[in-house]
Amino acid sequence: MVGAEQLDGGAIAARARFGDDNAVIRLVDCANAGETDFERHVGNIADQISSEESDNAPFHKWLVKPRLPPLCSPSMLKAGIVGLPNVGKSTLFNALTRSRKAEAANYPFCTIDPNIGVVIVPDDRLAILAKIAKTAVLVPAAIEFVDIAGLVKGASQGEGLGNQFLSNIREVDAIVHVVRCFEDPDVIHTVGSVDPVRDIEIVTTELVLADLDAVTKRIDKTQKKAKSGDKEAIAELALLEKLTPHLNSNQPANTLPATDDEKALLKFFQLLTAKPVLYACNVAETDLATAEQNPFVQKVAAFVKVHHDAAYVPISAKIESELIDLSPEDAKAFLKDLGVDDSGVSSLIRGTYALLGLMTYFTAGEKEARAWTIKKGFKAPQAAGVIHTDFEKGFIKAEVVSYADLVRLGSIAAAREAGKYRLEGKDYVFQDGDVALFRFNN
């Protein structure tokens, strides 16, 4: 045993422990996490380091405190919460982050600087894996939400605080568009009446106009290169000219019929309406149990399917905000009285996670059970690299069992005996729910 040792401030103890003594574990220092606003999520980084000898080779076991993933992880993708003023954006943000960071007030522009918060992705599988691994330490997956102040008509020309807010939207990876689907005479509506489809069109128009401006400027810059015979410029100009009439018809860039090459090029343009969108239909407390019957929700569902090829989730931000200060038991009872199991926020978080193209794999051992976030389509070395780049560079094999097989069989030993615990190479594409241990060279 070696003595307890504190890592450099902000370093992250990363490990790939699976659950049996064949595990190969290595301590690695990630980039400084920076614990100013994130201290309550990260806590003290490492407590104890111990080394033992296995029958085959030396390995290390690392003890880490239960905590959330660091908010400032450079790989964490962001979803921006947008919409008109007073539709419930900041209330939803508070509900998502279980905090009072975003000021919820009944007047436009109460949010000027975007509020940022890390949000745990609800996943019941992690607790079940922790039970199998006999650990009390759980580290869930997380994504980052940004509460962006309300857009208004004319934002693309600088109305309200338009330019600043459009810039904030440009920096996120996906959009959660909150639309008001409830009547309340005590809550001001900036346009005067509740009409979620009209509200969607107002926001979409402002984003489209901003994109049209960007496309027009890009065409001016690209034409000269294209005339000189530059092949990349010619392809870019063709796509820009294809985009222009599409945007002019008030259609978002993400609905443009495009080839795979054009889609890849479209990402390079960083257009606002090219970002994936999920619509959050904010309903009244009394409507949540029957949200699908709400006429406003029905209008949104039909409209976004046809015009945006997008999904929607009914939520009640008001209900979720009331759950913030309740114990889990009281919250469950409160929801039961309303005839629901959830305020819709858990579905929204999972929907946003999928919208970002993310999925989860797990590592689980006696020290911790952890959910790791990766992009769909990641191969084994890339998945290993999420733990640390050394795991990707020195990748040898991945020991993998599916979550379903592990839970059905009850242990690693049983999964191995049943032939469900397997070795995968560099070309293996990770699947959601895979439970893994990585072999790698130092």
Side-chain angles (χ1 to χ4, degrees):
M1 296 289 292
V2 297
E5 176 178 333
Q6 185 69 27
L7 300 180
D8 291 341
I12 303 166
R15 46 184 297 285
R17 174 71 172 159
F18 186 85
D20 62 10
D21 283 342
N22 291 319
V24 179
I25 303 173
R26 180 182 174 200
L27 177 70
V28 292
D29 291 347
C30 296
N32 283 343
E35 297 184 12
T36 52
D37 192 33
F38 314 133
E39 192 170 318
R40 67 188 177 89
H41 294 300
V42 180
N44 293 326
I45 300 303
D47 297 308
Q48 179 182 345
I49 300 174
S50 62
S51 63
E52 301 180 13
E53 295 288 326
S54 71
D55 294 336
N56 301 316
F59 67 97
H60 295 84
K61 295 180 178 179
W62 309 112
L63 180 62
V64 294
K65 287 187 175 180
R67 59 190 179 279
L68 290 176
L71 274 141
C72 52
S73 169
S75 61
M76 190 176 289
L77 299 182
K78 297 179 182 179
I81 302 175
V82 306
L84 294 179
N86 293 351
V87 297
K89 296 183 311 302
S90 293
T91 303
L92 174 61
F93 177 82
N94 291 336
L96 285 167
T97 58
R98 284 292 197 273
S99 74
R100 299 290 182 182
K101 181 181 286 188
E103 178 190 2
N106 185 24
Y107 57 90
F109 313 125
C110 66
T111 307
I112 297 176
D113 294 323
N115 293 268
I116 301 174
V118 73
V119 176
I120 291 174
V121 179
D123 195 332
D124 294 337
R125 296 175 297 181
L126 189 61
I128 296 171
L129 286 175
K131 187 175 181 180
I132 293 173
K134 297 180 174 61
T135 180
V137 181
L138 285 72
V139 185
I143 53 177
E144 200 169 284
F145 278 88
V146 182
D147 179 26
I148 299 171
L151 288 172
V152 295
K153 189 173 182 179
S156 58
Q157 278 77 48
E159 288 294 325
L161 296 173
N163 292 332
Q164 179 182 342
F165 301 155
L166 291 172
S167 175
N168 294 150
I169 295 172
R170 203 175 300 280
E171 293 172 0
V172 301
D173 303 287
I175 294 171
V176 175
H177 187 163
V178 183
V179 290
R180 179 171 168 176
C181 294
F182 65 90
E183 297 272 13
D184 188 341
D186 295 327
V187 179
I188 300 167
H189 194 296
T190 55
V191 187
S193 62
V194 178
D195 184 343
V197 170
R198 176 207 59 210
D199 295 351
I200 290 171
E201 290 183 312
I202 289 173
V203 172
T204 300
T205 296
E206 295 308 319
L207 299 183
V208 165
L209 288 172
D211 281 348
L212 263 174
D213 184 57
V215 166
T216 301
K217 290 177 180 177
R218 197 171 191 98
I219 287 175
D220 292 340
K221 291 181 180 180
T222 307
Q223 281 177 331
K224 291 181 180 179
K225 288 185 179 180
K227 287 179 180 178
S228 69
D230 186 304
K231 292 183 178 180
E232 290 184 1
I234 292 172
E236 183 176 322
L237 183 60
L239 180 57
L240 290 168
E241 290 176 341
K242 182 178 179 180
L243 256 175
T244 301
H246 184 79
L247 292 172
N248 267 323
S249 61
N250 206 36
Q251 297 181 76
N254 59 15
T255 62
L256 178 76
T259 65
D260 289 342
D261 288 343
E262 286 175 332
K263 288 177 181 178
L265 186 56
L266 188 61
K267 290 180 181 179
F268 181 70
F269 296 163
Q270 295 184 312
L271 299 177
L272 299 174
T273 62
K275 298 179 187 296
V277 183
L278 178 66
Y279 290 87
C281 299
N282 192 14
V283 302
E285 297 176 63
T286 53
D287 289 344
L288 185 59
T290 56
E292 295 295 345
Q293 299 170 30
N294 180 309
F296 294 133
V297 173
Q298 291 175 341
K299 288 180 181 178
V300 171
F303 182 80
V304 301
K305 182 179 181 180
V306 173
H307 298 281
H308 294 264
D309 191 26
Y312 71 97
V313 178
I315 61 160
S316 176
K318 183 68 163 58
I319 288 178
E320 189 69 16
S321 68
E322 292 174 358
L323 299 177
I324 292 175
D325 299 320
L326 298 181
S327 68
E329 295 76 16
D330 290 342
K332 188 175 181 180
F334 180 78
L335 289 170
K336 186 177 180 180
D337 288 343
L338 292 171
V340 296
D341 296 321
D342 181 71
S343 69
V345 167
S346 292
S347 297
L348 176 66
I349 296 170
R350 285 190 288 264
T352 304
Y353 196 67
L355 188 70
L356 289 165
L358 303 176
M359 68 179 198
T360 301
Y361 79 87
F362 303 96
T363 56
E366 61 187 35
K367 298 302 181 186
E368 71 174 25
R370 181 186 288 259
W372 298 93
T373 299
I374 59 174
K375 294 285 285 184
K376 291 177 182 177
F378 266 24
K379 293 185 178 181
Q382 293 172 294
V386 172
I387 297 176
H388 193 268
T389 54
D390 284 359
F391 286 22
E392 181 173 5
K393 293 174 183 176
F395 177 86
I396 300 174
K397 291 285 184 180
E399 299 178 27
V400 180
V401 60
S402 73
Y403 167 81
D405 285 337
L406 181 56
V407 171
R408 177 173 57 85
L409 295 166
S411 70
I412 296 300
R416 185 182 285 113
E417 187 176 339
K420 299 298 183 180
Y421 184 80
R422 61 194 189 275
L423 283 177
E424 298 287 0
K426 294 182 177 181
D427 292 330
Y428 174 69
V429 178
F430 259 61
Q431 303 299 308
D432 184 70
D434 278 348
V435 188
L437 163 71
F438 298 103
R439 298 181 182 181
F440 67 103
N441 284 320
N442 293 334

PDB file of all heavy atoms in Angstrom, residues 262-291:
ATOM      1  N   GLU A 262     -22.962  16.951 -48.798  1.00  0.00           N
ATOM      2  CA  GLU A 262     -23.536  18.277 -48.561  1.00  0.00           C
ATOM      3  C   GLU A 262     -23.840  18.479 -47.074  1.00  0.00           C
ATOM      4  O   GLU A 262     -23.645  19.569 -46.537  1.00  0.00           O
ATOM      5  CB  GLU A 262     -24.808  18.446 -49.387  1.00  0.00           C
ATOM      6  CG  GLU A 262     -24.544  18.649 -50.872  1.00  0.00           C
ATOM      7  CD  GLU A 262     -25.816  18.699 -51.698  1.00  0.00           C
ATOM      8  OE1 GLU A 262     -26.816  18.076 -51.285  1.00  0.00           O
ATOM      9  OE2 GLU A 262     -25.820  19.362 -52.752  1.00  0.00           O
ATOM     10  N   LYS A 263     -24.300  17.414 -46.398  1.00  0.00           N
ATOM     11  CA  LYS A 263     -24.582  17.509 -44.965  1.00  0.00           C
ATOM     12  C   LYS A 263     -23.305  17.797 -44.179  1.00  0.00           C
ATOM     13  O   LYS A 263     -23.311  18.567 -43.223  1.00  0.00           O
ATOM     14  CB  LYS A 263     -25.230  16.219 -44.465  1.00  0.00           C
ATOM     15  CG  LYS A 263     -26.665  16.045 -44.939  1.00  0.00           C
ATOM     16  CD  LYS A 263     -27.247  14.707 -44.479  1.00  0.00           C
ATOM     17  CE  LYS A 263     -28.669  14.527 -44.984  1.00  0.00           C
ATOM     18  NZ  LYS A 263     -29.242  13.212 -44.598  1.00  0.00           N
ATOM     19  N   ALA A 264     -22.220  17.164 -44.595  1.00  0.00           N
ATOM     20  CA  ALA A 264     -20.937  17.402 -43.927  1.00  0.00           C
ATOM     21  C   ALA A 264     -20.488  18.846 -44.140  1.00  0.00           C
ATOM     22  O   ALA A 264     -19.973  19.490 -43.218  1.00  0.00           O
ATOM     23  CB  ALA A 264     -19.888  16.427 -44.462  1.00  0.00           C
ATOM     24  N   LEU A 265     -20.679  19.351 -45.337  1.00  0.00           N
ATOM     25  CA  LEU A 265     -20.308  20.725 -45.656  1.00  0.00           C
ATOM     26  C   LEU A 265     -21.214  21.712 -44.931  1.00  0.00           C
ATOM     27  O   LEU A 265     -20.762  22.775 -44.472  1.00  0.00           O
ATOM     28  CB  LEU A 265     -20.369  20.950 -47.165  1.00  0.00           C
ATOM     29  CG  LEU A 265     -19.876  22.289 -47.711  1.00  0.00           C
ATOM     30  CD1 LEU A 265     -18.436  22.556 -47.276  1.00  0.00           C
ATOM     31  CD2 LEU A 265     -19.985  22.312 -49.233  1.00  0.00           C
ATOM     32  N   LEU A 266     -22.478  21.357 -44.794  1.00  0.00           N
ATOM     33  CA  LEU A 266     -23.444  22.221 -44.121  1.00  0.00           C
ATOM     34  C   LEU A 266     -23.037  22.476 -42.670  1.00  0.00           C
ATOM     35  O   LEU A 266     -23.194  23.585 -42.151  1.00  0.00           O
ATOM     36  CB  LEU A 266     -24.832  21.579 -44.178  1.00  0.00           C
ATOM     37  CG  LEU A 266     -26.018  22.410 -43.698  1.00  0.00           C
ATOM     38  CD1 LEU A 266     -26.169  23.672 -44.544  1.00  0.00           C
ATOM     39  CD2 LEU A 266     -27.299  21.579 -43.750  1.00  0.00           C
ATOM     40  N   LYS A 267     -22.500  21.454 -42.019  1.00  0.00           N
ATOM     41  CA  LYS A 267     -22.039  21.614 -40.630  1.00  0.00           C
ATOM     42  C   LYS A 267     -20.937  22.668 -40.545  1.00  0.00           C
ATOM     43  O   LYS A 267     -20.835  23.393 -39.566  1.00  0.00           O
ATOM     44  CB  LYS A 267     -21.532  20.274 -40.091  1.00  0.00           C
ATOM     45  CG  LYS A 267     -22.622  19.242 -39.860  1.00  0.00           C
ATOM     46  CD  LYS A 267     -22.041  17.940 -39.322  1.00  0.00           C
ATOM     47  CE  LYS A 267     -23.127  16.899 -39.111  1.00  0.00           C
ATOM     48  NZ  LYS A 267     -22.560  15.610 -38.614  1.00  0.00           N
ATOM     49  N   PHE A 268     -20.127  22.733 -41.583  1.00  0.00           N
ATOM     50  CA  PHE A 268     -19.015  23.680 -41.617  1.00  0.00           C
ATOM     51  C   PHE A 268     -19.509  25.129 -41.633  1.00  0.00           C
ATOM     52  O   PHE A 268     -18.826  26.039 -41.167  1.00  0.00           O
ATOM     53  CB  PHE A 268     -18.156  23.399 -42.858  1.00  0.00           C
ATOM     54  CG  PHE A 268     -16.963  24.285 -43.010  1.00  0.00           C
ATOM     55  CD1 PHE A 268     -15.882  24.187 -42.147  1.00  0.00           C
ATOM     56  CD2 PHE A 268     -16.916  25.240 -44.024  1.00  0.00           C
ATOM     57  CE1 PHE A 268     -14.778  25.025 -42.289  1.00  0.00           C
ATOM     58  CE2 PHE A 268     -15.820  26.080 -44.175  1.00  0.00           C
ATOM     59  CZ  PHE A 268     -14.750  25.956 -43.294  1.00  0.00           C
ATOM     60  N   PHE A 269     -20.734  25.353 -42.142  1.00  0.00           N
ATOM     61  CA  PHE A 269     -21.286  26.712 -42.225  1.00  0.00           C
ATOM     62  C   PHE A 269     -21.742  27.236 -40.861  1.00  0.00           C
ATOM     63  O   PHE A 269     -21.934  28.438 -40.693  1.00  0.00           O
ATOM     64  CB  PHE A 269     -22.475  26.749 -43.191  1.00  0.00           C
ATOM     65  CG  PHE A 269     -22.136  26.429 -44.617  1.00  0.00           C
ATOM     66  CD1 PHE A 269     -23.139  26.078 -45.516  1.00  0.00           C
ATOM     67  CD2 PHE A 269     -20.822  26.472 -45.067  1.00  0.00           C
ATOM     68  CE1 PHE A 269     -22.838  25.782 -46.847  1.00  0.00           C
ATOM     69  CE2 PHE A 269     -20.510  26.171 -46.394  1.00  0.00           C
ATOM     70  CZ  PHE A 269     -21.521  25.818 -47.275  1.00  0.00           C
ATOM     71  N   GLN A 270     -21.981  26.335 -39.914  1.00  0.00           N
ATOM     72  CA  GLN A 270     -22.395  26.706 -38.551  1.00  0.00           C
ATOM     73  C   GLN A 270     -23.656  27.579 -38.549  1.00  0.00           C
ATOM     74  O   GLN A 270     -23.732  28.601 -37.867  1.00  0.00           O
ATOM     75  CB  GLN A 270     -21.261  27.425 -37.813  1.00  0.00           C
ATOM     76  CG  GLN A 270     -20.042  26.552 -37.567  1.00  0.00           C
ATOM     77  CD  GLN A 270     -18.970  27.247 -36.757  1.00  0.00           C
ATOM     78  OE1 GLN A 270     -18.596  28.374 -37.046  1.00  0.00           O
ATOM     79  NE2 GLN A 270     -18.491  26.582 -35.731  1.00  0.00           N
ATOM     80  N   LEU A 271     -24.643  27.145 -39.287  1.00  0.00           N
ATOM     81  CA  LEU A 271     -25.903  27.887 -39.356  1.00  0.00           C
ATOM     82  C   LEU A 271     -26.771  27.568 -38.136  1.00  0.00           C
ATOM     83  O   LEU A 271     -26.775  26.461 -37.623  1.00  0.00           O
ATOM     84  CB  LEU A 271     -26.653  27.532 -40.636  1.00  0.00           C
ATOM     85  CG  LEU A 271     -25.933  27.857 -41.950  1.00  0.00           C
ATOM     86  CD1 LEU A 271     -26.768  27.391 -43.137  1.00  0.00           C
ATOM     87  CD2 LEU A 271     -25.659  29.359 -42.049  1.00  0.00           C
ATOM     88  N   LEU A 272     -27.531  28.556 -37.707  1.00  0.00           N
ATOM     89  CA  LEU A 272     -28.382  28.391 -36.528  1.00  0.00           C
ATOM     90  C   LEU A 272     -29.471  27.354 -36.763  1.00  0.00           C
ATOM     91  O   LEU A 272     -29.769  26.541 -35.890  1.00  0.00           O
ATOM     92  CB  LEU A 272     -29.026  29.734 -36.164  1.00  0.00           C
ATOM     93  CG  LEU A 272     -28.068  30.873 -35.811  1.00  0.00           C
ATOM     94  CD1 LEU A 272     -28.851  32.170 -35.629  1.00  0.00           C
ATOM     95  CD2 LEU A 272     -27.273  30.555 -34.554  1.00  0.00           C
ATOM     96  N   THR A 273     -30.089  27.393 -37.958  1.00  0.00           N
ATOM     97  CA  THR A 273     -31.205  26.481 -38.226  1.00  0.00           C
ATOM     98  C   THR A 273     -30.743  25.105 -38.692  1.00  0.00           C
ATOM     99  O   THR A 273     -31.575  24.240 -38.990  1.00  0.00           O
ATOM    100  CB  THR A 273     -32.171  27.079 -39.270  1.00  0.00           C
ATOM    101  OG1 THR A 273     -31.471  27.267 -40.506  1.00  0.00           O
ATOM    102  CG2 THR A 273     -32.747  28.399 -38.790  1.00  0.00           C
ATOM    103  N   ALA A 274     -29.433  24.886 -38.735  1.00  0.00           N
ATOM    104  CA  ALA A 274     -28.924  23.547 -39.049  1.00  0.00           C
ATOM    105  C   ALA A 274     -28.827  22.696 -37.789  1.00  0.00           C
ATOM    106  O   ALA A 274     -28.616  21.486 -37.860  1.00  0.00           O
ATOM    107  CB  ALA A 274     -27.553  23.650 -39.723  1.00  0.00           C
ATOM    108  N   LYS A 275     -28.972  23.320 -36.641  1.00  0.00           N
ATOM    109  CA  LYS A 275     -28.862  22.593 -35.373  1.00  0.00           C
ATOM    110  C   LYS A 275     -30.118  21.750 -35.135  1.00  0.00           C
ATOM    111  O   LYS A 275     -31.233  22.179 -35.462  1.00  0.00           O
ATOM    112  CB  LYS A 275     -28.682  23.578 -34.216  1.00  0.00           C
ATOM    113  CG  LYS A 275     -27.402  24.411 -34.311  1.00  0.00           C
ATOM    114  CD  LYS A 275     -27.291  25.388 -33.157  1.00  0.00           C
ATOM    115  CE  LYS A 275     -26.099  26.326 -33.351  1.00  0.00           C
ATOM    116  NZ  LYS A 275     -24.816  25.611 -33.334  1.00  0.00           N
ATOM    117  N   PRO A 276     -29.964  20.560 -34.564  1.00  0.00           N
ATOM    118  CA  PRO A 276     -31.144  19.742 -34.250  1.00  0.00           C
ATOM    119  C   PRO A 276     -31.992  20.423 -33.177  1.00  0.00           C
ATOM    120  O   PRO A 276     -31.465  21.101 -32.294  1.00  0.00           O
ATOM    121  CB  PRO A 276     -30.537  18.430 -33.749  1.00  0.00           C
ATOM    122  CG  PRO A 276     -29.169  18.788 -33.274  1.00  0.00           C
ATOM    123  CD  PRO A 276     -28.710  19.907 -34.157  1.00  0.00           C
ATOM    124  N   VAL A 277     -33.308  20.238 -33.264  1.00  0.00           N
ATOM    125  CA  VAL A 277     -34.238  20.919 -32.356  1.00  0.00           C
ATOM    126  C   VAL A 277     -35.205  19.919 -31.725  1.00  0.00           C
ATOM    127  O   VAL A 277     -35.699  19.001 -32.392  1.00  0.00           O
ATOM    128  CB  VAL A 277     -35.057  22.003 -33.089  1.00  0.00           C
ATOM    129  CG1 VAL A 277     -35.967  22.742 -32.115  1.00  0.00           C
ATOM    130  CG2 VAL A 277     -34.135  22.989 -33.807  1.00  0.00           C
ATOM    131  N   LEU A 278     -35.467  20.108 -30.441  1.00  0.00           N
ATOM    132  CA  LEU A 278     -36.507  19.372 -29.725  1.00  0.00           C
ATOM    133  C   LEU A 278     -37.463  20.410 -29.146  1.00  0.00           C
ATOM    134  O   LEU A 278     -37.027  21.382 -28.523  1.00  0.00           O
ATOM    135  CB  LEU A 278     -35.897  18.527 -28.602  1.00  0.00           C
ATOM    136  CG  LEU A 278     -36.879  17.741 -27.724  1.00  0.00           C
ATOM    137  CD1 LEU A 278     -37.577  16.647 -28.540  1.00  0.00           C
ATOM    138  CD2 LEU A 278     -36.145  17.117 -26.531  1.00  0.00           C
ATOM    139  N   TYR A 279     -38.761  20.218 -29.351  1.00  0.00           N
ATOM    140  CA  TYR A 279     -39.741  21.182 -28.872  1.00  0.00           C
ATOM    141  C   TYR A 279     -40.306  20.732 -27.520  1.00  0.00           C
ATOM    142  O   TYR A 279     -40.779  19.600 -27.373  1.00  0.00           O
ATOM    143  CB  TYR A 279     -40.856  21.365 -29.903  1.00  0.00           C
ATOM    144  CG  TYR A 279     -40.357  22.079 -31.127  1.00  0.00           C
ATOM    145  CD1 TYR A 279     -39.786  21.372 -32.182  1.00  0.00           C
ATOM    146  CD2 TYR A 279     -40.392  23.470 -31.209  1.00  0.00           C
ATOM    147  CE1 TYR A 279     -39.273  22.033 -33.291  1.00  0.00           C
ATOM    148  CE2 TYR A 279     -39.884  24.134 -32.312  1.00  0.00           C
ATOM    149  CZ  TYR A 279     -39.320  23.416 -33.348  1.00  0.00           C
ATOM    150  OH  TYR A 279     -38.792  24.072 -34.439  1.00  0.00           O
ATOM    151  N   ALA A 280     -40.241  21.626 -26.547  1.00  0.00           N
ATOM    152  CA  ALA A 280     -40.761  21.364 -25.209  1.00  0.00           C
ATOM    153  C   ALA A 280     -42.080  22.108 -25.053  1.00  0.00           C
ATOM    154  O   ALA A 280     -42.111  23.343 -25.016  1.00  0.00           O
ATOM    155  CB  ALA A 280     -39.763  21.817 -24.152  1.00  0.00           C
ATOM    156  N   CYS A 281     -43.173  21.375 -24.991  1.00  0.00           N
ATOM    157  CA  CYS A 281     -44.503  21.968 -24.859  1.00  0.00           C
ATOM    158  C   CYS A 281     -44.808  22.158 -23.380  1.00  0.00           C
ATOM    159  O   CYS A 281     -45.124  21.195 -22.669  1.00  0.00           O
ATOM    160  CB  CYS A 281     -45.549  21.066 -25.500  1.00  0.00           C
ATOM    161  SG  CYS A 281     -45.305  20.784 -27.264  1.00  0.00           S
ATOM    162  N   ASN A 282     -44.722  23.371 -22.925  1.00  0.00           N
ATOM    163  CA  ASN A 282     -44.898  23.678 -21.504  1.00  0.00           C
ATOM    164  C   ASN A 282     -46.384  23.832 -21.188  1.00  0.00           C
ATOM    165  O   ASN A 282     -47.022  24.798 -21.604  1.00  0.00           O
ATOM    166  CB  ASN A 282     -44.139  24.963 -21.161  1.00  0.00           C
ATOM    167  CG  ASN A 282     -44.027  25.173 -19.665  1.00  0.00           C
ATOM    168  OD1 ASN A 282     -44.282  24.275 -18.869  1.00  0.00           O
ATOM    169  ND2 ASN A 282     -43.642  26.371 -19.269  1.00  0.00           N
ATOM    170  N   VAL A 283     -46.935  22.855 -20.455  1.00  0.00           N
ATOM    171  CA  VAL A 283     -48.366  22.854 -20.154  1.00  0.00           C
ATOM    172  C   VAL A 283     -48.612  23.203 -18.691  1.00  0.00           C
ATOM    173  O   VAL A 283     -47.714  23.176 -17.858  1.00  0.00           O
ATOM    174  CB  VAL A 283     -49.004  21.479 -20.473  1.00  0.00           C
ATOM    175  CG1 VAL A 283     -48.795  21.117 -21.939  1.00  0.00           C
ATOM    176  CG2 VAL A 283     -48.439  20.381 -19.567  1.00  0.00           C
ATOM    177  N   ALA A 284     -49.864  23.495 -18.375  1.00  0.00           N
ATOM    178  CA  ALA A 284     -50.251  23.800 -16.996  1.00  0.00           C
ATOM    179  C   ALA A 284     -50.213  22.537 -16.142  1.00  0.00           C
ATOM    180  O   ALA A 284     -50.280  21.417 -16.658  1.00  0.00           O
ATOM    181  CB  ALA A 284     -51.656  24.405 -16.977  1.00  0.00           C
ATOM    182  N   GLU A 285     -50.109  22.724 -14.827  1.00  0.00           N
ATOM    183  CA  GLU A 285     -50.069  21.596 -13.903  1.00  0.00           C
ATOM    184  C   GLU A 285     -51.249  20.654 -14.116  1.00  0.00           C
ATOM    185  O   GLU A 285     -51.091  19.429 -14.112  1.00  0.00           O
ATOM    186  CB  GLU A 285     -50.078  22.102 -12.461  1.00  0.00           C
ATOM    187  CG  GLU A 285     -48.878  22.947 -12.078  1.00  0.00           C
ATOM    188  CD  GLU A 285     -49.013  23.499 -10.672  1.00  0.00           C
ATOM    189  OE1 GLU A 285     -49.059  22.689  -9.732  1.00  0.00           O
ATOM    190  OE2 GLU A 285     -49.085  24.729 -10.517  1.00  0.00           O
ATOM    191  N   THR A 286     -52.419  21.227 -14.296  1.00  0.00           N
ATOM    192  CA  THR A 286     -53.630  20.415 -14.406  1.00  0.00           C
ATOM    193  C   THR A 286     -53.747  19.670 -15.724  1.00  0.00           C
ATOM    194  O   THR A 286     -54.583  18.776 -15.863  1.00  0.00           O
ATOM    195  CB  THR A 286     -54.870  21.309 -14.236  1.00  0.00           C
ATOM    196  OG1 THR A 286     -54.789  22.415 -15.157  1.00  0.00           O
ATOM    197  CG2 THR A 286     -54.946  21.862 -12.809  1.00  0.00           C
ATOM    198  N   ASP A 287     -52.902  20.031 -16.688  1.00  0.00           N
ATOM    199  CA  ASP A 287     -52.982  19.407 -18.015  1.00  0.00           C
ATOM    200  C   ASP A 287     -51.939  18.322 -18.251  1.00  0.00           C
ATOM    201  O   ASP A 287     -51.994  17.626 -19.273  1.00  0.00           O
ATOM    202  CB  ASP A 287     -52.815  20.468 -19.119  1.00  0.00           C
ATOM    203  CG  ASP A 287     -54.009  21.391 -19.226  1.00  0.00           C
ATOM    204  OD1 ASP A 287     -55.066  21.030 -18.682  1.00  0.00           O
ATOM    205  OD2 ASP A 287     -53.874  22.467 -19.834  1.00  0.00           O
ATOM    206  N   LEU A 288     -50.982  18.162 -17.341  1.00  0.00           N
ATOM    207  CA  LEU A 288     -49.862  17.271 -17.620  1.00  0.00           C
ATOM    208  C   LEU A 288     -50.309  15.825 -17.812  1.00  0.00           C
ATOM    209  O   LEU A 288     -49.813  15.122 -18.707  1.00  0.00           O
ATOM    210  CB  LEU A 288     -48.815  17.352 -16.495  1.00  0.00           C
ATOM    211  CG  LEU A 288     -47.540  16.542 -16.743  1.00  0.00           C
ATOM    212  CD1 LEU A 288     -46.843  17.012 -18.022  1.00  0.00           C
ATOM    213  CD2 LEU A 288     -46.585  16.659 -15.562  1.00  0.00           C
ATOM    214  N   ALA A 289     -51.230  15.351 -16.983  1.00  0.00           N
ATOM    215  CA  ALA A 289     -51.672  13.955 -17.070  1.00  0.00           C
ATOM    216  C   ALA A 289     -52.361  13.658 -18.402  1.00  0.00           C
ATOM    217  O   ALA A 289     -52.363  12.517 -18.874  1.00  0.00           O
ATOM    218  CB  ALA A 289     -52.595  13.620 -15.901  1.00  0.00           C
ATOM    219  N   THR A 290     -52.923  14.683 -19.017  1.00  0.00           N
ATOM    220  CA  THR A 290     -53.630  14.509 -20.300  1.00  0.00           C
ATOM    221  C   THR A 290     -53.028  15.424 -21.367  1.00  0.00           C
ATOM    222  O   THR A 290     -53.748  15.953 -22.221  1.00  0.00           O
ATOM    223  CB  THR A 290     -55.130  14.820 -20.127  1.00  0.00           C
ATOM    224  OG1 THR A 290     -55.277  16.159 -19.601  1.00  0.00           O
ATOM    225  CG2 THR A 290     -55.791  13.828 -19.179  1.00  0.00           C
ATOM    226  N   ALA A 291     -51.714  15.607 -21.318  1.00  0.00           N
ATOM    227  CA  ALA A 291     -51.040  16.584 -22.186  1.00  0.00           C
ATOM    228  C   ALA A 291     -51.274  16.318 -23.671  1.00  0.00           C
ATOM    229  O   ALA A 291     -51.408  17.255 -24.466  1.00  0.00           O
ATOM    230  CB  ALA A 291     -49.544  16.607 -21.889  1.00  0.00           C
TER     231      ALA A 291
END
